[in-house]
Amino acid sequence: MEERAVPDLATPLIAWFEQSARDLPWRRPGFSAWGTLVSEIMLQQTQVARVVPRLEAWLTRWPTPADLAASPPADAVRAWDRLGYPRRALALHAAATAIAERHGNVVPRDVDELLALPGIGDYTARAVAVFAYGDRHPVVDVNVRRVLARSVLGQGEPGPAKAKVDLPLMASVLPADRDAAARTNAAVMELGALVCVARAPACDACPIADRCAWRAAGYPEHDGPRAPRQAKFAGSDRQVRGMVMAELRASDVPVNRSEIDLVWPDAEQRARALASLLRDGLVVGDDVSGYQLPVA
């Protein structure tokens, strides 16, 4: 990454965050590292408003990793309900089992140890280390990348993710102080979620508008590569997968293939969705014994 002068974004962002941040469970004093891990996995590609009630119910039922590990994976999938991408529920169950068995039921602090857990990627590992333990690491999601692209690079859009560029750029914005660095990570995310949004950003309400390179350049149109956009949900294989999962979640006994055939009219797409669920381990069974959520 080429050398560039990075403005002081942390000072105004922290002041803004302390006044304007949403009151969310994972930001409250005493919130557990396990709760942080669960929230970060739930928040992947899912809106905050949908996550909060499901998170609170999840942590009431399974307040520690060992509590979740003691339940069958099917319970985790059922509790995931309609949050989407239910593979995350299986990954979380596997991570809980590993934490209970390898780490004495305590979510590890070290990024490398977090990365060694099943289903935990670079973003989630850094987010837990920063937001649960207060360590100094750059944490980068799509909102952060958008804020940095605009404020530092002068670009209207961040383009495709590139960890070798994105992480050092965010690191260059962080103060040396650990607590201030953690608050800066959270503040940049919040700014991207509430103010510096993808469409119609509220620049007049932005605490760093006076030092935003994109604004200073007159809001030039983005002419570089664009980040891939998610395919439409309606009519997609994702929708059919969700309908099959809903049918199985509603039953405590194996579901016959004939019942699954009723959830979607396109036989080829329905078969493709079922096959992918079997591959992902979200469904077990066959046409003879019926289909159900994983039991072990």
Side-chain angles (χ1 to χ4, degrees):
M1 183 176 67
E2 64 182 53
E3 291 291 330
R4 59 172 55 84
V6 178
D8 174 20
L9 303 181
T11 301
L13 279 172
I14 290 173
W16 169 82
F17 184 73
E18 290 176 348
Q19 294 294 320
S20 305
R22 291 169 290 180
D23 177 22
L24 300 172
W26 47 89
R27 292 177 178 163
R28 295 170 190 162
F31 196 72
S32 68
W34 166 240
T36 300
L37 177 60
V38 174
S39 70
E40 288 296 341
I41 292 178
M42 285 186 171
L43 286 164
Q44 294 168 10
Q45 297 181 294
T46 305
Q47 296 172 333
V48 168
R50 295 177 58 206
V51 165
V52 171
R54 187 59 50 204
L55 172 69
E56 292 174 342
W58 188 284
L59 294 178
T60 297
R61 183 174 182 180
W62 297 303
T64 74
D67 294 316
L68 176 59
S71 294
D75 286 357
V77 175
R78 282 195 175 90
W80 200 257
D81 197 23
R82 291 181 293 276
L83 283 179
Y85 300 97
R87 279 176 292 183
R88 292 179 293 168
L90 290 182
L92 191 49
H93 187 278
T97 301
I99 293 167
E101 293 177 351
R102 303 179 204 163
H103 299 281
N105 206 30
V106 176
V107 174
R109 179 172 187 162
D110 180 76
V111 169
D112 288 338
E113 289 185 345
L114 286 161
L115 284 169
L117 297 174
I120 303 301
D122 189 67
Y123 166 80
T124 302
R126 291 171 177 273
V128 170
V130 170
F131 300 134
Y133 293 113
D135 290 345
R136 187 184 183 280
H137 301 285
V139 183
V140 177
D141 68 358
V142 64
N143 289 321
V144 169
R145 293 176 52 245
R146 186 188 317 112
V147 170
L148 294 177
R150 290 172 176 171
S151 62
V152 180
L153 305 180
Q155 302 169 356
E157 296 183 26
K162 294 181 179 179
K164 290 183 179 180
V165 174
D166 299 334
L167 291 174
L169 184 58
M170 184 60 198
S172 72
V173 170
L174 297 180
D177 178 77
R178 283 197 334 166
D179 289 342
R183 283 183 290 163
T184 300
N185 272 306
V188 174
M189 285 187 181
E190 190 79 339
L191 190 77
L194 300 182
V195 177
C196 192
V197 294
R199 298 179 181 178
C203 297
D204 291 342
C206 180
I208 57 171
D210 63 341
R211 55 200 75 191
C212 175
W214 187 47
R215 181 183 175 102
Y219 305 111
E221 291 289 332
H222 182 72
D223 59 1
R226 297 180 183 275
R229 300 198 181 275
Q230 190 178 59
K232 290 183 178 180
F233 178 73
S236 66
D237 285 4
R238 281 181 53 223
Q239 183 183 18
V240 183
R241 280 168 56 102
M243 296 175 76
V244 173
M245 289 294 292
E247 187 76 15
L248 300 184
R249 275 197 303 267
S251 177
D252 293 325
V253 297
V255 176
N256 294 329
R257 180 61 179 264
S258 59
E259 295 174 280
I260 293 177
D261 288 346
L262 296 175
V263 305
W264 191 255
D266 186 326
E268 182 178 348
Q269 190 175 25
R270 194 175 59 237
R272 188 167 63 241
L274 179 59
S276 70
L277 290 169
L278 289 164
R279 282 197 306 272
D280 290 342
L282 286 164
V283 174
V284 296
D286 52 44
D287 287 352
V288 176
S289 60
Y291 296 91
Q292 61 184 327
L293 301 178
V295 294

